[in-house]
Amino acid sequence: MYTMFQDVRYAFRKLLHAPGFTIIAVATIGIALGAATAMFSVVDGVLLKPLPYRAPQELVRVNSMGPNGVMPMSPLDFIDYRNESRSFAGMAAIDGTTMNLTTPGESPILLQVGRVSASFFRVLGVSAERGRVFAAGDDDRGAPNIVVLSDATWRSRFGGDAGIVGRTVSLNGSSYTVVGVAPAWLSIPQNANAWVPLQFSVNDLDPSNRGAHSLDGVARLAAGVSVDRASEDLGRVAAALATKYPDTNTGFGAGIVELQTQMVKDVRAALWTLFGAVAFVLLVACANVANLLLVRASTRETEIAVRTALGAGRGRIVRQLITESVLLAVMGAAVGVLLAHWIVSAVVAFGPKGLPRLDDIGVDGRVLVFAAGVALVTGLLFGLAPALHSAQADISGMLKAGTRGSGGRRGATRTRNAFVIAESALAVVLLVGAGLFLRSFAQMLAVDPGFRPAQVTTASVSLPSVKYPRDHDAGAFADRVLEQVRAQPGVQDAAVGFGRPLAASHIRLTFEVAGWPPSTPADRHVTWLRPVSADYFKVLGIPVVQGRAFTADDRADGRQVLIVSQAFVRQFFKGENPIGKHLTLSWGRDSSEWGANAAAGGDIVGVVGDVAEFGPTTTPAAWVYAPFAQLPVSDLSVLVRSRLPEAAVAKEVQAAVHRVDADLPVYDVAPMTRVLAASVAQPRFYTTLIMCFALVGLLLAAIGIYGVISYGVSVRAREIGIRIALGAPQRRVMQLTIRQGLVLALIGVPIGLAGAYLLRGYVRGELYAPSGPDVLPFAVVPVVLLAAAAVASYIPARRAARVDPAVAMRD
């Protein structure tokens, strides 16, 4: 132990005596370790860290499985899944919705609310932070209205009032009693501000509505039951339901997946790809610092020779030099942790909001252990080769005056060159990967969204059923708001719709075409539906390619009409003219006279262009549009086209809504250009990170080439002086020196290209369907690396060309 302490003290003293070398080495490894630590923090917080629930490995997500994959359950299917399965200790249904919270003296706000079964908190193993959670019977029809608030809502809206439990609040115009405050880490459904009991209505339990899929579910496995066994059990129940209810359940199954896996499935591969990229950066940094240590070792050969002559064994010399490299790594890790803390803070603050478990990301004890472990491994990794080379030196040769030392020995030179070749190859792999991501992202941005977002501002409102009990109330509200908005100066036009492109509000339903044979349970006609007002297509710039758009004459008491998208025509009509065809939609509407449900539908009067409703990475789906006056809904978006500044338009829209109803919160107020940009936030985030990693790798590789060529010039100063004295032109000396750097890069390029090609298949899985071969990155990257190598070699080459022969031969 004392000997180790001596080694550390001696290493620290030697590093202090070489501040230039120490600063460069610590900065190099600190930047790489900082990036690696920050990326591990993201991977750990999102993918690896267990969910904060009791026995999280027992929690699974429950859903129906339709022809197109995972989909929500219907209320009746959920009840049967829960009652007939035998593999679960508990199961709860989840339905995300929005509710307006109004409190005296404050502006109304919109809450993201989870409507959940009373067993929801028990299944998750969550207790209240204050008060209580739901108990059995809270979700019975007719039970009192109660709510559990999120910690964030309790603190921001109620100031952390200790007396919140038992207080009455107004949600959607109805009184709810606050029974508890949930822990801050509860995030199911995502971004939930409150939870209310899910009470099934008579309509939910109507056998004719078994096909209405709207619920997600969470369950806890029974003791000793595996996911596979539970999946088989639930599949048995789903198969029995398909036999019993063929009209609604044919072709539908049930599936479960571990809750944590389901939460991160969309980002898992991308995050591991980024983590792999930062590992490459770390390897480049290790090679760079190893080269620095080799150069430094050449200046200490006399010292090492003396220590060896005085009896220090080869093992002791190696241990001393490795101690120095590990100490460098530890110092770099300290810098890296500080850098990682800053990077993680930036990711949490500015990262894509769709990234799951974003609040779980942080530099905690697990991350610090990772940083310490990586520092130890990298210290050994970049210190071992220089230490072994120094320990194998010729002692008698070193002690002779005028020896070149290990710096000029062929073995050390080969090792330095090998490190530079490795750096070049790793940099090529990084740059090609970054090029593939950048090309993919550029293709994504080039996709036509199907609408013109410029000069369009959107805002959303949700009408409470207490105040707007009938559909025609929603229609009247929309008319009044549009009248107010259109009266504002600078507004070119305005429209409303159930949601808007790139929104989370969608209606999916089945339909029948008059004159066609009825669809079978195994071959249902399924489409998306959006009620919109007359000028919706005009405001968004969606082209009408056939027939006509909606007009003011398409009133509630007029002829029922519909408009379909081009994708709808391609999927269902296959070249047949759709104009005039009558569709019957499997969705009722409230007839304003007597409140009875009547089948929705109408004659197709127009075809409009396809819109990237779910983002530019998705294939356009089949859509049906209905006049808002004929099919009004309580959740609507207002869209305004205006040449005024976006902030002014947003303010006017909010004012117009509040002139109609001052109690309604206006939310999701944003220009459509920002909405479109947000739809590619995650790909932009991934592309930016991997580009940064690639540029750091390129910079480190260039520094490595510079270091090797620069040191080679210093070692060969006498030889270069002789060449110049014998008449070699400066240009020729520069060419020879630059060629040395280019040769090292040229050897690394094909190795890197081969590695990039092998990894290409994995990376392509994370890209937006690039068209054509990936030739461009493979062609451009070698040019970029060789250019960087030429620049890095130019400075030492100029120094070599200016060597004074007399001084060089005398030195």
Side-chain angles (χ1 to χ4, degrees):
M1 181 64 69
Y2 178 73
T3 304
M4 183 179 296
F5 176 75
Q6 280 187 318
D7 287 344
V8 172
R9 186 175 60 182
Y10 182 75
F12 189 72
R13 189 167 64 246
K14 294 298 293 184
L15 292 176
L16 286 179
H17 288 165
F21 161 80
T22 302
I23 290 173
I24 293 173
V26 169
T28 299
I29 203 66
I31 291 172
L33 265 175
T37 303
M39 200 62 235
F40 174 78
S41 178
V42 175
V43 169
D44 183 54
V46 176
L47 302 180
L48 304 180
K49 191 180 295 181
L51 295 174
Y53 308 114
R54 175 176 58 84
Q57 72 280 2
E58 298 177 354
L59 294 174
V60 294
R61 202 66 183 258
V62 182
N63 291 100
S64 288
M65 299 294 294
N68 297 316
V70 177
M71 64 181 300
M73 304 172 288
S74 69
L76 287 172
D77 281 351
F78 162 73
I79 292 172
D80 286 331
Y81 292 165
R82 181 185 60 187
N83 295 343
E84 300 299 326
S85 59
R86 299 290 180 265
S87 301
F88 304 98
M91 186 183 296
I94 305 169
D95 181 22
T97 187
T98 59
M99 300 181 80
N100 300 330
L101 171 65
T102 52
T103 49
E106 296 185 83
S107 300
I109 62 170
L110 184 89
L111 298 183
Q112 300 293 331
V113 177
R115 298 174 64 229
V116 297
S117 304
S119 59
F120 171 78
F121 294 97
R122 177 179 61 80
V123 168
L124 292 178
V126 175
S127 300
E129 184 179 301
R130 287 180 175 270
R132 70 171 180 90
V133 293
F134 300 150
D138 283 342
D139 56 359
D140 291 345
R141 198 181 313 144
N145 289 339
I146 59 175
V147 60
V148 172
L149 298 176
S150 70
D151 179 84
T153 302
W154 171 55
R155 295 182 186 279
S156 62
R157 188 65 175 185
F158 300 98
D161 181 7
I164 188 66
V165 175
R167 182 171 168 179
T168 299
V169 298
S170 176
L171 294 175
N172 276 1
S174 298
S175 295
Y176 282 74
T177 301
V178 178
V179 297
V181 177
W185 40 261
L186 181 58
S187 58
I188 301 176
Q190 190 172 2
N191 302 321
N193 306 119
W195 294 263
V196 299
L198 173 58
Q199 299 174 356
F200 291 133
S201 66
V202 174
N203 191 54
D204 291 329
L205 303 180
D206 187 331
S208 64
N209 281 331
R210 183 175 283 272
H213 293 256
S214 60
L215 303 177
D216 291 320
V218 63
R220 181 173 292 276
L221 297 175
V225 176
S226 67
V227 172
D228 290 340
R229 179 179 159 190
S231 182
E232 291 176 4
D233 182 26
L234 208 59
R236 172 188 57 81
V237 176
L241 293 178
T243 301
K244 190 174 182 179
Y245 307 105
D247 289 344
T248 57
N249 287 60
T250 297
F252 287 90
I256 64 172
V257 63
E258 292 179 353
L259 181 61
Q260 184 161 354
T261 300
Q262 190 276 336
M263 291 177 67
V264 302
K265 61 183 176 62
D266 293 333
V267 300
R268 179 186 296 276
L271 291 183
W272 281 122
T273 299
L274 292 173
F275 191 66
V278 82
F280 275 49
V281 173
L282 191 59
L283 289 174
V284 174
C286 286
N288 219 323
V289 176
N291 257 334
L292 285 174
L293 288 171
L294 278 170
V295 172
R296 173 171 159 77
S298 69
T299 67
R300 300 175 59 188
E301 289 175 342
T302 302
E303 169 206 336
I304 293 172
V306 170
R307 292 186 65 190
T308 304
L310 293 176
R314 183 168 294 177
R316 179 63 189 274
I317 296 295
V318 170
R319 189 177 68 189
Q320 174 63 55
L321 294 176
I322 288 180
T323 299
E324 290 186 23
S325 67
V326 171
L327 185 58
L328 276 175
V330 170
M331 295 166 67
V335 173
V337 168
L338 294 176
L339 182 61
H341 182 76
W342 178 80
I343 295 173
V344 168
S345 299
V347 168
V348 173
F350 305 108
K353 300 308 176 186
L355 192 67
R357 306 187 69 188
L358 194 62
D359 293 336
D360 290 335
I361 300 172
V363 181
D364 55 14
R366 292 163 58 97
V367 175
L368 293 178
V369 170
F370 168 83
V374 172
L376 179 61
V377 171
T378 53
L380 294 172
L381 190 63
F382 64 66
L384 188 59
L388 291 176
H389 271 286
S390 298
Q392 291 172 359
D394 178 11
I395 305 303
S396 61
M398 284 189 200
L399 294 174
K400 293 178 182 177
T403 184
R404 292 181 303 167
S406 71
R409 291 201 320 274
R410 187 171 300 172
T413 300
R414 282 200 300 263
T415 302
R416 283 196 299 272
N417 290 344
F419 279 135
V420 171
I421 291 169
E423 287 182 69
S424 300
L426 291 170
V428 167
V429 175
L430 275 172
L431 287 167
V432 169
L436 291 174
F437 268 84
L438 185 62
R439 178 171 176 264
S440 169
F441 186 65
Q443 288 179 320
M444 187 186 303
L445 294 181
V447 171
D448 181 6
F451 63 95
R452 294 186 292 110
Q455 299 181 337
V456 177
T457 301
T458 180
S460 299
V461 293
S462 182
L463 307 179
S465 58
V466 172
K467 199 168 185 180
Y468 299 87
R470 295 178 181 273
D471 285 350
H472 78 272
D473 296 327
F477 171 84
D479 290 340
R480 292 196 299 272
V481 168
L482 288 178
E483 182 181 350
Q484 291 284 337
V485 171
R486 287 169 178 154
Q488 305 306 312
V491 172
Q492 295 172 274
D493 217 329
V496 299
F498 177 70
R500 43 143 178 88
L502 307 173
S505 301
H506 307 114
I507 301 172
R508 196 158 194 242
L509 42 69
T510 59
F511 67 92
E512 298 291 343
V513 181
W516 288 11
S519 60
T520 64
D523 186 24
R524 299 177 180 87
H525 299 150
V526 181
T527 186
W528 297 95
L529 171 69
R530 171 162 291 145
V532 299
S533 66
D535 291 324
Y536 178 85
F537 304 110
K538 179 181 176 182
V539 170
L540 281 174
I542 301 173
V544 178
V545 297
Q546 188 178 356
R548 67 173 178 86
F550 296 137
T551 68
D553 294 331
D554 297 319
R555 297 185 299 269
D557 57 353
R559 171 196 174 203
Q560 286 187 304
V561 294
L562 299 171
I563 290 175
V564 298
S565 68
Q566 289 178 298
F568 184 96
V569 176
R570 288 194 301 270
Q571 181 174 345
F572 297 109
F573 286 91
K574 296 181 174 60
E576 184 180 353
N577 185 3
I579 302 299
K581 299 293 186 180
H582 185 86
L583 305 185
T584 301
L585 307 177
S586 62
W587 191 44
R589 66 181 182 88
D590 178 5
S591 66
S592 57
E593 290 81 10
W594 54 84
N597 284 335
D603 299 328
I604 298 176
V605 297
V607 179
V608 295
D610 291 327
V611 175
E613 293 279 359
F614 305 106
T617 63
T618 58
T619 303
W623 277 82
V624 170
Y625 301 91
F628 195 87
Q630 296 180 359
L631 206 61
V633 290
S634 57
D635 293 318
L636 54 94
S637 294
V638 182
L639 298 124
V640 181
R641 179 169 291 278
S642 173
R643 291 192 178 93
L644 295 176
E646 295 164 350
V649 178
K651 185 177 179 180
E652 289 297 337
V653 172
Q654 294 181 73
V657 171
H658 288 154
R659 280 193 292 270
V660 176
D661 189 337
D663 293 332
L664 290 179
V666 183
Y667 61 98
D668 286 348
V669 182
M672 283 301 295
T673 50
R674 191 188 307 164
V675 171
L676 184 60
S679 69
V680 294
Q682 280 195 26
R684 180 186 291 110
F685 175 70
Y686 301 147
T687 302
T688 301
L689 281 184
I690 200 167
M691 285 297 298
C692 290
F693 297 156
L695 291 176
V696 170
L698 177 64
L699 178 63
L700 291 177
I703 291 174
I705 293 171
Y706 166 80
V708 166
I709 302 304
S710 182
Y711 182 68
V713 168
S714 67
V715 170
R716 298 170 57 203
R718 186 174 182 181
E719 172 200 333
I720 293 171
I722 293 173
R723 285 176 179 270
I724 294 176
L726 294 176
Q730 289 185 339
R731 180 173 56 81
R732 178 62 175 166
V733 172
M734 288 186 66
Q735 287 176 346
L736 290 173
T737 307
I738 291 175
R739 185 174 65 183
Q740 183 183 357
L742 290 177
V743 166
L744 294 176
L746 277 170
I747 296 174
V749 163
I751 299 173
L753 289 177
Y757 184 81
L758 292 176
L759 292 174
R760 165 177 161 272
Y762 175 76
V763 173
R764 279 178 66 92
E766 300 310 306
L767 304 180
Y768 161 69
S771 58
D774 301 320
V775 175
L776 190 61
F778 284 88
V780 171
V781 165
V783 176
V784 172
L785 184 70
L786 291 176
V791 171
S793 305
Y794 176 75
I795 298 176
R798 282 191 63 188
R799 192 168 74 246
R802 295 177 178 178
V803 168
D804 186 331
V807 174
M809 296 173 68
R810 211 171 36 238
D811 188 3

